[in-house]
Amino acid sequence: MVGGLADRDRIFATEDDLVAMALALGAAQAGGALSAAETALAKTAEARPVSPHRIADLKDRILAGEDPLGDAFSVLRSPEVRRDQGATYTPAPIVQTMIDWAAATRTPARVIDPGVGSARFLCRAGQAFPEAELVGIDVDPLAALMARANLAVTGQGGRARILLGDYRRFTGQVAGSSLYIGNPPYVRHHKIGAVWKTWLTAEAAKLDLPASRLAGLHAYFFLATARSAKPGDFGAFITASEWLDVNYGALVRALMLGRLGGRSVTVIDPTAQPFPDAAATAAIATFDIGAKPRAVSFRRIEDLASLGELGKGRTVPRERLAAEGRWSHLTRDSEKPPEGYVELGELCRVHRGTVTGANGVWIAGAHSVGLPETVLFPTITRAREVLEAGGLLADSRKLRRVIDLPADLDELDSAERKAVTKFLKVARAMGANKGYVASHRKAWWSVGLRAAAPIISTYMARRPPGFIINQVDARHINIAHGLYPRDPMSDTVRKSLVSYLQSNISQRSGRTYAGGLTKFEPREMERLIVPGPALLAAGAVC
């Protein structure tokens, strides 16, 4: 999103001002008949005066390729409100790159933007394809009016249709090919109604594909496109990149390998601000309905100036993609370690901490008073306990205790067994025996903490991971990773390794989700390049 407005745009004090300007620019005469909601919104701004000089100025700016209406909307409506609606507008360089890819692929008879916003994609598509019908769909009547206004000013309102409604309900094909292009809205699953979640699973089942009710809204738009498009249609969507790796993304990955005919994936690091008001990694996916390419191209860029043409990069065979559970690592070129350096996985195994299934039960507190010390383990239970330790955990007194009972309670002596039996009555009353995790353990009461890891790291934060030497043999739950040396590691080597990891690992080595959280899965952490044992032992690292 645009981060702010120039002084000359401050005239839009309210959304009603924006509505009035959209109408003055010709919104009511472009994109077909206004919907009832748009008509009602237009009436709220009927009496607002609009300066002819201002109208002329905005027309000039729109014709020059700017989007002053969308920019104003991005400031008048807060990022928090827009985020709930998935309204994140795309910067012009990305829009143009996607349009250029489409123009180099084929000429469509129709262009469809499933979340049209202020028509940034449609206006540029109209210039690239002067004969194509332009169809924009959005659930927000203000966005629809802005789209109409921009299309009117650029002279494309007569061949455009702006539809107020949900893209998932869109149907209709044309004789020629259709181009599906845009930025499907990003809305998390808990904001999606049960009716639509049922729609997702039912429609995916018709295609014999997996679907998770935890999917974000952009996954629905990929499915809706695959459902309504026909062979010969093609498209490019920019979305948050989560679908490359998360479990719910299996649906999108399967569509890319199947019905959508995926051609390429270009990942844009958050440092390039693909979504200016959201620190998230973006992915541009291109597809060709009905095509079955032998390979899909993968590329990662760190700034928009490097975006260039879509479709370039490393080619990965479909067979490998079908076997891979995660795809984001495929966007990184294989890094050849410098002389004397190795992958961290050659030195250490990385394991995520144990899932308790109910921290409120298994982290000791007032409910567990009386339990013997033999079942209470000092444990890293908060990421900040790693981040604030300065690279060395030398005191466990401030750590909370996790209750880890043996699966075979007969291992306890009589006094311990009595105290544990009393606690288990409390734990049952708290529902500890009914959860998913507990029901899949050998014994519901046995958390099964991993052995103490010599090195512990965080793995999800809005910053690079933190690492500590675990001098006090603390355990860790699933908010942290444990690094377990494959071979005995001296104190000097361990200290050098942690020092290097603390200073040299950046967020770009992990995967960044919408909201700015960067996550390192265990295998991703094992691929980090670090000094080898000889360099670490010599202290020759920086």
Side-chain angles (χ1 to χ4, degrees):
M1 278 298 199
V2 176
L5 293 176
D7 288 341
R8 59 181 174 170
D9 291 315
R10 299 294 175 184
I11 190 171
F12 296 113
T14 68
E15 290 190 8
D16 284 345
D17 291 334
L18 192 54
V19 172
M21 180 56 76
L23 294 170
L25 291 171
Q29 289 76 47
L34 298 183
S35 65
E38 290 171 276
T39 300
L41 185 59
K43 288 182 178 179
T44 66
E46 283 180 346
R48 289 183 178 268
V50 179
S51 162
H53 173 74
R54 190 62 179 153
I55 295 172
D57 176 58
L58 291 190
K59 283 184 176 180
D60 288 343
R61 292 173 60 190
I62 292 169
L63 289 172
E66 296 183 43
D67 180 20
L69 301 182
D71 291 349
F73 172 81
S74 301
V75 173
L76 289 172
R77 190 170 292 181
S78 72
E80 293 73 25
V81 173
R82 286 186 282 106
R83 198 169 294 129
D84 284 347
Q85 300 167 338
T88 303
Y89 289 9
T90 311
I94 296 177
V95 174
Q96 190 60 55
T97 296
M98 293 168 66
I99 296 296
D100 289 345
W101 171 85
T105 302
R106 69 175 61 95
T107 300
R110 179 179 64 169
V111 179
I112 302 168
D113 184 342
V116 71
S118 57
R120 291 185 178 185
F121 282 95
L122 281 192
C123 285
R124 291 181 183 249
Q127 295 168 358
F129 308 112
E131 303 298 323
E133 178 190 13
L134 306 175
V135 180
I137 306 160
D138 209 294
V139 296
D140 184 350
L142 177 51
L145 288 175
M146 291 190 298
R148 292 174 186 274
N150 279 326
L151 290 165
V153 172
T154 56
Q156 302 172 109
R159 60 187 172 108
R161 282 193 298 143
I162 298 301
L163 307 175
L164 187 69
D166 196 306
Y167 174 66
R168 291 168 289 188
R169 294 192 175 97
F170 177 78
T171 57
Q173 297 179 349
V174 294
S177 67
S178 292
L179 166 63
Y180 294 82
I181 193 164
N183 178 357
Y186 180 89
V187 176
R188 293 188 180 278
H189 73 90
H190 56 272
K191 298 283 186 179
I192 300 172
V195 171
W196 281 115
K197 291 186 177 185
T198 299
W199 175 92
L200 180 76
T201 54
E203 292 300 324
K206 292 176 183 178
L207 302 178
D208 294 322
L209 294 177
S212 168
R213 296 170 74 89
L214 301 180
L217 187 58
H218 54 297
Y220 290 64
F221 277 51
F222 276 102
L223 178 59
T225 301
R227 172 175 167 266
S228 62
K230 69 179 191 310
D233 293 346
F234 63 118
F237 284 161
I238 179 170
T239 66
S241 65
E242 292 180 9
W243 64 267
L244 293 170
D245 295 307
V246 295
N247 289 338
Y248 79 69
L251 171 60
V252 182
R253 297 193 295 271
L255 288 169
M256 286 286 284
L257 291 179
R259 198 176 184 93
L260 279 179
R263 289 286 189 184
S264 70
V265 176
T266 302
V267 170
I268 308 173
D269 278 338
T271 53
Q273 288 194 291
F275 304 126
D277 65 351
T281 306
I284 302 174
T286 66
F287 49 89
D288 195 345
I289 306 296
K292 294 183 178 180
R294 294 182 179 180
V296 177
S297 298
F298 285 82
R299 185 163 64 105
R300 177 179 291 266
I301 65 160
E302 297 177 1
D303 57 78
L304 295 185
S306 304
L307 187 53
E309 296 180 25
L310 300 180
K312 294 185 175 181
R314 174 188 183 189
T315 58
V316 182
R318 288 166 54 87
E319 292 76 12
R320 179 181 176 185
L321 290 172
E324 291 274 356
R326 297 182 174 90
W327 286 5
S328 66
H329 68 278
L330 300 172
T331 65
R332 298 184 176 92
D333 293 329
S334 297
E335 185 177 356
K336 184 178 180 180
E339 184 69 27
Y341 282 65
V342 298
E343 289 190 349
L344 177 61
E346 293 188 32
L347 303 181
C348 301
R349 294 173 290 109
V350 179
H351 291 294
R352 183 179 289 114
T354 305
V355 178
T356 72
N359 285 355
V361 176
W362 302 113
I363 294 177
H367 64 288
S368 61
V369 171
L371 282 176
E373 288 294 319
T374 53
V375 300
L376 301 175
F377 295 84
T379 303
I380 295 289
T381 60
R382 303 181 180 96
R384 69 170 181 266
E385 292 164 349
V386 175
L387 298 175
E388 295 174 357
L392 175 66
L393 183 63
D395 187 348
S396 65
R397 287 176 295 179
K398 292 184 179 180
L399 297 180
R400 297 189 291 179
R401 269 50 177 170
V402 169
I403 302 162
D404 194 13
L405 306 174
D408 183 0
L409 296 179
D410 289 337
E411 296 178 12
L412 304 171
D413 64 31
S414 58
E416 291 172 334
R417 181 67 180 265
K418 182 178 180 181
V420 167
T421 298
K422 179 181 178 182
F423 164 74
L424 289 180
K425 291 181 180 179
V426 175
R428 281 183 182 274
M430 297 173 72
N433 60 318
K434 297 178 181 178
Y436 175 85
V437 174
S439 66
H440 285 74
R441 288 199 282 243
K442 181 178 179 181
W444 68 264
W445 57 80
S446 184
V447 169
L449 289 173
R450 289 188 179 276
I455 300 171
I456 294 176
S457 75
T458 60
Y459 73 92
M460 179 174 277
R462 291 179 175 84
R463 49 151 290 166
F467 297 83
I468 57 169
I469 295 172
N470 181 15
Q471 188 171 287
V472 296
D473 290 335
R475 307 302 178 90
H476 66 288
I477 60 173
N478 65 319
I479 55 85
H481 288 336
L483 279 64
Y484 297 84
R486 294 184 181 275
D487 297 306
M489 187 177 284
S490 70
D491 290 344
T492 298
V493 169
R494 191 179 309 169
K495 182 177 179 180
S496 294
L497 177 59
V498 168
S499 177
Y500 181 87
L501 290 168
Q502 286 278 62
S503 303
N504 292 276
I505 304 306
S506 68
Q507 284 180 272
R508 70 185 57 177
S509 298
R511 66 180 73 152
T512 302
Y513 294 89
L517 283 175
T518 299
K519 183 178 183 181
F520 286 75
E521 293 289 356
R523 302 293 80 79
E524 290 169 340
M525 191 166 281
E526 288 184 0
R527 285 194 290 269
L528 297 175
I529 303 301
V530 299
L535 291 176
L536 292 171
V541 298
C542 59

